[in-house]
């Protein structure tokens, strides 16, 4: 593949057969998208995590289609080589018809694919979106959009029944046509079993080291740009917050 040839879902699927690990990152704006693309990141996820790290919400459930469309358009302005995947936000895909309409909105804003949360119960939505020729990423394990119903964030796949259901859900999503599945906060043994059972790549977040075919991180967590909270499973590789504070304090101290 040439340096500027676009990354595609097919490329992501083939990466698994090549045993090539996939390093995804979130992006929510034009300069970040450019920088991550220049760094060779193959997939940029415009995640509804922007609700917390960009908009200051307590969770993802307040993120709207308007928010997502706005940030997808900003990322797409970078014209990245990377594949741009956009989250369908909370309650934007309750029915297949709604899922298709909102998936189209995100594609029109500049996304290459959409992501939605849930397993077997979301198969009709996945199939409807795929029937429109739109690519889809699944999301299993801890589902951030269900945090209120579940009363918090918890690790999934601890019991045999829960692990078995996750495997069933993953298989159902693969059969419905997703090209990758994010596994969030899934116990490592279950994440590894799911990864080994599928032909499509799994992308882990907080699911153990190298149990999946790749990983995704929120860019703010990776570079230390959101110092007020860092997930336990993240090892920041920078301290952007400290750099900003130092620059601002110097600017103020020197009287501009």
């Amino acid at each position: 593949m040439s340096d500027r040839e676009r990354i595609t879902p097919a490329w992501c699927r083939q990466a698994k057969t090549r045993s090539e690990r996939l390093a995804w990152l979130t992006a929510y704006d034009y300069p970040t998208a450019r920088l991550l693309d220049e760094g060779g990141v193959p997939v940029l996820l415009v995640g509804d995590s922007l609700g917390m790290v960009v908009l200051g919400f307590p969770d993802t459930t307040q993120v709207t289609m308007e928010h997502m469309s706005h940030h997808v358009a900003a990322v797409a302005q970078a014209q990245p080589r990377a594949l741009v995947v956009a989250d369908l936000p909370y309650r934007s895909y309750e029915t297949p018809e709604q899922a298709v309409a909102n998936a189209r909105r995100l594609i029109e804003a500049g996304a290459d694919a959409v992501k939605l949360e849930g397993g077997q119960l979301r198969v009709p939505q996945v199939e409807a979106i795929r029937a429109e020729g739109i690519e889809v990423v699944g999301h299993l394990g801890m589902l951030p959009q269900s945090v209120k119903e579940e009363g918090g964030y918890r690790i999934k796949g601890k019991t045999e029944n829960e692990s078995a259901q996750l495997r069933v859900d993953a298989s159902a999503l693969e059969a419905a046509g997703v090209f990758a599945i994010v596994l969030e906060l899934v116990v490592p043994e279950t994440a590894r079993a799911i990864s080994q059972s599928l032909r499509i790549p799994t992308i882990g977040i907080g699911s153990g080291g190298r149990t999946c075919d790749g990983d995704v991180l929120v860019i703010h967590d990776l570079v230390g740009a959101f110092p007020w909270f860092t997930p336990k499973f993240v090892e920041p590789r920078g301290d952007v917050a400290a750099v900003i504070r130092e620059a601002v304090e110097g600017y103020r101290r020197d009287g501009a």
Side-chain angles (χ1 to χ4, degrees):
M1 177 175 287
S2 69
D3 287 345
R4 289 308 304 170
E5 188 176 346
R6 290 294 311 277
I7 298 292
T8 65
W11 184 94
C12 291
R13 286 190 292 267
Q14 291 161 7
K16 178 161 183 161
T17 65
R18 299 191 300 268
S19 297
E20 180 176 344
R21 288 190 61 76
L22 295 165
W24 297 16
L25 284 171
T26 64
Y28 314 108
D29 56 56
Y30 168 81
T32 302
R34 281 197 64 170
L35 289 169
L36 300 187
D37 197 50
E38 290 170 6
V41 174
V43 177
L44 302 179
L45 172 63
V46 187
D48 56 5
S49 48
L50 67 87
M52 290 90 81
V53 298
V54 176
L55 301 176
F57 297 151
D59 54 52
T60 65
T61 63
Q62 296 180 49
V63 177
T64 65
M65 278 298 302
E66 286 69 28
H67 292 134
M68 293 304 305
S69 296
H70 174 88
H71 287 276
V72 167
V75 168
Q77 273 298 115
Q79 299 182 353
R81 172 178 180 261
L83 188 77
V84 177
V85 177
D87 275 345
L88 282 162
Y90 184 59
R91 291 188 173 174
S92 68
Y93 49 100
E94 296 295 285
T95 66
E97 295 76 17
Q98 184 190 33
V100 167
N102 285 321
R104 282 177 181 155
R105 285 184 63 182
L106 294 179
I107 297 299
E108 289 167 0
D112 299 306
V114 299
K115 179 169 76 65
L116 51 72
E117 297 180 4
Q120 279 183 302
L121 294 178
R122 297 301 190 189
V123 164
Q125 284 89 330
V126 173
E127 291 178 338
I129 296 170
R130 290 294 298 121
E132 295 295 312
I134 298 172
E135 297 282 358
V136 183
V137 174
H139 187 140
L140 295 174
M142 193 283 289
L143 307 179
Q145 293 175 10
S146 300
V147 64
K148 290 183 177 179
E149 292 89 335
E150 297 199 357
Y153 302 97
R154 68 183 187 86
I155 297 173
K156 297 299 183 74
K158 287 183 174 180
T159 68
E160 180 52 40
N161 285 343
E162 202 170 66
S163 178
Q165 185 59 54
L166 284 170
R167 293 195 296 270
V168 168
D169 285 335
S171 179
L173 288 176
E174 180 179 41
V178 303
F179 73 87
I181 298 176
V182 171
L183 298 178
E184 183 163 1
L185 292 183
V186 174
V187 296
E189 295 79 9
T190 299
R192 183 177 291 107
I194 292 171
S195 301
Q196 292 174 349
S197 71
L198 301 177
R199 295 182 301 277
I200 58 174
T202 56
I203 307 299
I205 179 166
S207 296
R210 306 185 80 84
T211 61
C212 297
D213 301 300
D215 294 285
V216 60
L217 284 179
V218 171
I219 183 60
H220 293 65
D221 295 338
L222 178 69
V223 302
F226 195 84
W228 309 280
F229 174 76
T230 302
K232 293 179 181 179
F233 57 83
V234 175
E235 292 185 16
R237 306 222 176 181
D239 194 352
V240 167
V243 172
I244 291 174
R245 286 177 178 141
E246 182 180 353
V248 171
E249 288 168 2
Y251 173 78
R252 176 185 54 78
R253 186 172 56 248
D254 297 340

